[in-house]
Amino acid sequence: MVYSTVEAAATHLDLNWVRAQFPALSLEVDGQPAAFLDGPGGTQVPQRVIDSISEYLRTSNANTCGAYATSRRTDQMIGGARSAMADFLSCDSDEIVFGPNMTSLTYAISRAIGRELGPGDEIVLTHLDHDANISPWRALEERRVKIQMVEIHEQDCTLNMDDLARKITPRTKVVAAGYASNAVGTINDVKTIVRLAHDAGAMAFIDAVHYAPHGPIDVRELDCDFLACSTYKFFGPHMGVLYGKREHLARLQPYKLRANTNAVPQRWEWGTLNHECIAGIVACVDYLADLGKSSSCVGTGALTRPVEQRSAMASRRESILAAYRGIRAHERELMRRMLNGLAGISGLGLYGIADPARLDFRCPTFAVRIPGHIPLELATKLGGQGIFTWDGNYYALNLTERLGVEADGGFLRIGFVHYNTEEEVDRVLEGLRRIAG
Ligand SMILES: Cc1ncc(COP(=O)(O)O)c(C=O)c1O
């Protein structure tokens, strides 16, 4: 299908160009186009990410720090990937740590911080968070550290900021909170969370895994101490990335092998990393930068020019920011359409922000239930029509327990990213309407 430039102009996103980048988007299931509404579980990748991974394996495959060409190329490539992620997060490249995923990086940091904690110390967590930002901190209860859980407002699944402010005290050593909820899509006021943590002398750890495909991240502006994300959630390979303030990465003591270097940030990276996926990360960030060049040119008649010729002067960071302006505008259209459609389905319950006037506070991630149909049944029926959604708790276990839906199959989660279309919104709405009857 060709998406018109009228549509693109309305959304400031060149959707034809976008979709052409992702080979998986042309997959079919039983003759029907696949609708990937499973972005919160992992997004598809542009062709250039696939190419970059195989090119690395073809031309540069080696371990690091060797005295020969492919090893040197590997060192150089990893350095380039740190710069790419530094542009993505707005920090310096020696503040970027690579790891297998966000969960293991969070455990690495929580263990290291935990070495300095004991009875009388407290850690503040939230009911809205993925378990990867809960269990690694709860593990410190074995050191008799006390965990404080921040409440939510049940009616719209937003964080109770008054409760958060109450629970942060001079005993608090860490506040760990999500940037956005992977279950219900709520975007938290992380800037205020970081400020409240710092006012009490605590460190702030932000889980940006769900937010990263939807909005720009600026760790300097947030002033957070740590921020973790996963590149497979924003169009890259299966890897985790951690930002840490340089002084923390240098001062805290990681559990590590003796032979491993003490240099920052490598002292936080254990064993041999997944080099080919790190090569894919560079391509993924460059994809976003090119998207920014294409989206920022909408309206100037430049859509037909090759992407390399557009906005050649913009820095990678500026282009990434432009990409997110386009992404956000397009996702707002998808959210508006989805919320209007969901409101008309009889009996359907939506968990999270439902007010179309409050789109600034949510991502296009929708948790729903239809009475009489467990979420697995909904996902299976939609899956049979080529519409890929998810069911269950997606590890946001505290939230499904808190809302009383855990024993009952959790939610059906429908998640959109910028490569999804209004037609796909209509398809999933029609599928739900038919099931709801
Ligand atoms: C909000 C959020 N945090 C953390 C994680 C865990 O990320 P990883 O799979 O990289 O460990 C996920 C994965 O779904 C997530 O959605």
Side-chain angles (χ1 to χ4, degrees):
M1 178 181 288
V2 172
Y3 302 93
S4 67
T5 46
V6 176
E7 181 188 3
T11 61
H12 311 288
L13 204 67
D14 187 347
L15 210 48
N16 293 317
W17 181 82
V18 166
R19 290 187 62 91
Q21 306 302 302
F22 292 83
L25 299 186
S26 58
L27 279 181
E28 293 194 345
V29 178
D30 297 333
Q32 305 182 75
F36 289 93
L37 310 187
D38 61 342
T43 47
Q44 299 307 310
V45 299
Q47 181 64 45
R48 70 176 79 189
V49 170
I50 302 167
D51 292 344
S52 182
I53 291 171
S54 32
E55 183 66 9
Y56 170 79
L57 290 170
R58 222 178 358 252
T59 64
S60 313
N61 190 16
N63 217 321
T64 53
C65 301
Y68 56 96
T70 48
S71 180
R72 286 197 195 102
R73 260 181 238 148
T74 295
D75 292 335
Q76 216 168 24
M77 180 280 290
I78 294 175
R82 281 196 218 284
S83 309
M85 279 310 301
D87 286 347
F88 183 80
L89 295 176
S90 189
C91 59
D92 291 331
S93 48
D94 64 344
E95 295 174 308
I96 294 291
V97 178
F98 291 119
N101 46 55
M102 175 274 184
T103 303
S104 46
L105 289 166
T106 306
Y107 264 111
I109 290 297
S110 73
R111 281 200 201 107
I113 291 176
R115 286 179 134 172
E116 302 180 343
L117 304 186
D121 292 328
E122 297 188 358
I123 294 180
V124 174
L125 310 175
T126 94
H127 277 291
L128 209 48
D129 270 70
H130 186 286
D131 211 53
N133 202 22
I134 292 185
S135 285
W137 303 107
R138 287 219 98 122
L140 301 180
E141 284 175 313
E142 69 192 10
R143 300 181 67 89
R144 310 212 3 241
V145 171
K146 190 166 170 199
I147 302 295
Q148 297 280 4
M149 295 298 299
V150 175
E151 271 305 328
I152 57 163
H153 298 292
E154 259 188 55
Q155 70 276 16
D156 61 1
C157 296
T158 53
L159 211 53
N160 183 334
M161 292 297 278
D162 293 334
D163 192 45
L164 179 109
R166 256 193 311 275
K167 285 191 170 136
I168 298 177
T169 71
R171 290 185 297 282
T172 309
K173 294 296 177 282
V174 179
V175 178
Y179 209 137
S181 158
N182 70 314
V184 292
T186 313
I187 297 174
N188 292 326
D189 180 359
V190 280
K191 189 140 194 214
T192 300
I193 295 174
V194 173
R195 184 178 52 72
L196 290 170
H198 287 176
D199 286 351
M203 287 193 278
F205 182 100
I206 304 299
D207 169 6
V209 171
H210 189 68
Y211 184 74
H214 303 296
I217 299 170
D218 189 328
V219 291
R220 286 269 185 273
E221 216 226 307
L222 289 178
D223 195 29
C224 53
D225 298 278
F226 299 97
L227 181 141
C229 57
S230 308
T231 50
Y232 73 95
K233 307 281 192 182
F234 59 92
F235 324 111
H238 287 91
M239 288 281 300
V241 180
L242 173 83
Y243 155 79
K245 277 187 178 165
R246 189 181 298 108
E247 70 247 39
H248 297 322
L249 295 181
R251 190 190 63 77
L252 288 166
Q253 289 302 313
Y255 286 91
K256 64 181 252 319
L257 303 187
R258 260 187 318 152
N260 194 6
T261 173
N262 247 321
V264 171
Q266 290 86 350
R267 67 203 298 250
W268 296 91
E269 297 174 332
W270 309 323
T272 306
L273 289 173
N274 187 330
H275 299 163
E276 52 273 33
C277 280
I278 294 177
I281 290 176
V282 185
C284 147
V285 174
D286 284 341
Y287 159 73
L288 285 168
D290 278 353
L291 172 62
K293 288 172 193 161
S294 91
S295 59
S296 58
C297 284
V298 170
T300 65
L303 273 173
T304 48
R305 286 213 300 273
V307 87
E308 326 62 77
Q309 290 175 21
R310 304 174 197 168
S311 304
M313 299 307 284
S315 72
R316 184 159 56 186
R317 175 72 188 165
E318 284 163 3
S319 298
I320 291 167
L321 294 179
Y324 278 108
R325 283 194 290 278
I327 286 173
R328 204 60 201 143
H330 177 60
E331 290 186 354
R332 285 176 80 88
E333 294 308 313
L334 300 182
M335 282 194 273
R336 213 168 272 132
R337 201 175 181 94
M338 186 69 176
L339 285 174
N340 283 340
L342 289 175
I345 299 179
S346 74
L348 180 141
L350 170 69
Y351 295 78
I353 294 172
D355 180 356
R358 295 177 62 211
L359 298 182
D360 283 349
F361 306 103
R362 67 148 35 255
C363 300
T365 302
F366 299 91
V368 301
R369 288 179 59 89
I370 299 179
H373 303 271
I374 60 163
L376 173 60
E377 177 204 331
L378 300 176
T380 308
K381 284 192 171 145
L382 292 171
Q385 299 164 41
I387 303 170
F388 303 163
T389 60
W390 214 277
D391 69 282
N393 61 39
Y394 355 100
Y395 285 26
L397 185 56
N398 264 273
L399 185 65
T400 51
E401 285 176 345
R402 176 71 185 70
L403 295 174
V405 297
E406 178 58 25
D408 231 3
F411 312 109
L412 175 78
R413 179 179 66 187
I414 306 158
F416 299 92
V417 292
H418 73 287
Y419 54 58
N420 291 121
T421 66
E422 297 193 343
E423 288 77 5
E424 289 173 328
V425 174
D426 294 346
R427 261 181 83 193
V428 73
L429 286 170
E430 183 50 33
L432 291 172
R433 248 179 242 124
R434 274 207 297 266
I435 297 169

